[in-house]
């Protein structure tokens, strides 16, 4: 049981449950949180709060790792239930997700902001009633042309060269989460925004 007096943090990776979605662009959040879980030696295997979650400690803080299992556009339900139960305020909820405005391999760290057209983020903002949660955006590349169907694009898989660029980005996304917890969003943004290395 988590000690209510400790500073709890919740890290959420966004994606769609089910094998057919595993390698799609939309599931970068799931993949990044798996990398983070490996780094921390944490298993994300408790089924509750409409999601799969795990808990561990990091730097004396309690850390909860969550993969909502509701499908992307309802992700906020799982985030709200778990954060309410463990009393984690929005400022300590870090969300990892795909961003089509960034090329594969790039990251962007933000302290808050609107959904920017991302249904998972829209759902979290709606359920929490707040935009003030840090986020780590993982580049998945823009649609090949403006008329290309967005849903089809985010549910497509990466080319082998994109996949190669993505791998180190997933590692850095995990590092960015720990940097946010240790040093705050500005420091993480400074260190990880835009860079490929």
């Amino acid at each position: 049981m988590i000690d209510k007096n400790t500073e709890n943090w919740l890290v959420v990776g966004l994606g769609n449950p089910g094998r057919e979605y595993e390698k799609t662009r939309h599931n970068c959040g799931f993949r990044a949180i798996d990398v983070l879980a490996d780094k921390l030696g944490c298993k994300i295997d408790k089924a509750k709060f409409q999601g799969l979650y795990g808990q561990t400690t990091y730097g004396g803080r309690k850390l909860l790792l969550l993969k909502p299992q509701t499908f992307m556009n309802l992700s906020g339900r799982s985030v709200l239930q778990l954060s309410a139960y463990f009393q984690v305020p929005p400022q300590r909820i870090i969300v990892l997700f795909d961003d089509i405005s960034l090329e594969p391999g790039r990251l962007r760290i933000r302290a808050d902001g609107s959904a920017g057209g991302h249904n998972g983020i829209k759902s979290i903002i709606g359920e929490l009633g707040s935009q003030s949660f840090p986020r780590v955006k993982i580049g998945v590349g823009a649609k090949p042309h403006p008329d290309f169907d967005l849903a089809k694009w985010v549910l497509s898989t990466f080319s082998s060269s994109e996949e190669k660029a993505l791998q180190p980005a997933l590692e850095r996304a995990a590092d960015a989460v720990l940097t946010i917890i240790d040093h705050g969003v500005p420091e993480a943004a400074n260190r990880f925004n835009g860079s490929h290395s």
Side-chain angles (χ1 to χ4, degrees), residues 20 99 113 116 135 148 189:
E20 68 271 35
D99 188 334
R135 46 206 86 174
F148 199 95

Side-chain angles (χ1 to χ4, degrees), residues 103-119:
E103 61 190 84
R106 291 193 181 274
L107 301 179
R108 185 171 292 145
I109 320 294
R110 286 273 183 273
D112 52 29
S114 70
H118 193 286
N119 287 335

Side-chain angles (χ1 to χ4, degrees), residues 50 70 72-84 90 93 119-131 133:
Q50 294 187 41
T70 52
M72 186 66 87
N73 58 347
L74 299 174
S75 302
R77 291 183 182 178
S78 178
V79 175
L80 177 66
Q81 287 175 30
L82 192 141
S83 63
I93 299 173
N119 287 335
I121 297 296
K122 194 182 296 176
S123 172
I124 293 171
I125 290 171
E127 295 287 346
L128 293 179
S130 172
Q131 297 188 354
F133 52 89

Side-chain angles (χ1 to χ4, degrees), residues 10-23:
L10 168 57
V11 185
V12 183
L14 294 186
N16 284 309
R19 295 208 67 142
E20 68 271 35
Y21 297 110
E22 267 173 23
K23 295 288 190 188

Side-chain angles (χ1 to χ4, degrees), residues 11 31-41 65 96 174 177-178:
V11 185
R31 293 175 66 183
I33 204 167
D34 285 341
V35 171
L36 178 63
D38 278 352
K39 279 183 194 280
L40 296 168
L65 307 183
L96 297 147
V177 168
L178 301 179

Side-chain angles (χ1 to χ4, degrees), residues 33-196:
I33 204 167
D34 285 341
V35 171
L36 178 63
D38 278 352
K39 279 183 194 280
L40 296 168
C42 176
K43 282 192 168 30
I44 304 177
D45 58 2
K46 295 178 176 66
K48 209 178 170 185
F49 309 111
Q50 294 187 41
L52 288 173
Y53 80 100
Q55 59 188 65
T56 185
T57 52
Y58 171 73
R61 302 173 181 91
K62 301 287 184 186
L63 207 48
L64 297 144
L65 307 183
L66 172 67
K67 294 161 85 170
Q69 300 293 297
T70 52
F71 285 98
M72 186 66 87
N73 58 347
L74 299 174
S75 302
R77 291 183 182 178
S78 178
V79 175
L80 177 66
Q81 287 175 30
L82 192 141
S83 63
Y85 184 82
F86 289 109
Q87 299 179 351
V88 186
Q91 295 73 18
R92 294 206 298 270
I93 299 173
I94 303 170
V95 184
L96 297 147
F97 65 101
D98 57 291
D99 188 334
I100 61 165
S101 69
L102 300 169
E103 61 190 84
R106 291 193 181 274
L107 301 179
R108 185 171 292 145
I109 320 294
R110 286 273 183 273
D112 52 29
S114 70
H118 193 286
N119 287 335
I121 297 296
K122 194 182 296 176
S123 172
I124 293 171
I125 290 171
E127 295 287 346
L128 293 179
S130 172
Q131 297 188 354
S132 302
F133 52 89
R135 46 206 86 174
V136 178
K137 304 177 180 197
I138 301 160
V140 297
K143 298 189 294 183
H145 55 83
D147 298 335
F148 199 95
D149 181 61
L150 178 60
K152 213 179 244 162
W153 178 245
V154 295
L155 294 178
S156 68
T157 53
F158 294 94
S159 68
S160 56
S161 63
E162 288 175 326
E163 187 66 49
K164 212 179 265 167
L166 184 69
Q167 280 310 318
L170 296 174
E171 291 282 339
R172 285 184 300 109
D175 291 339
V177 168
L178 301 179
T179 305
I180 290 170
I181 294 169
D182 284 336
H183 304 291
V185 173
E187 172 64 26
N190 217 3
R191 213 178 283 186
F192 295 98
N193 276 6
S195 74
H196 269 282

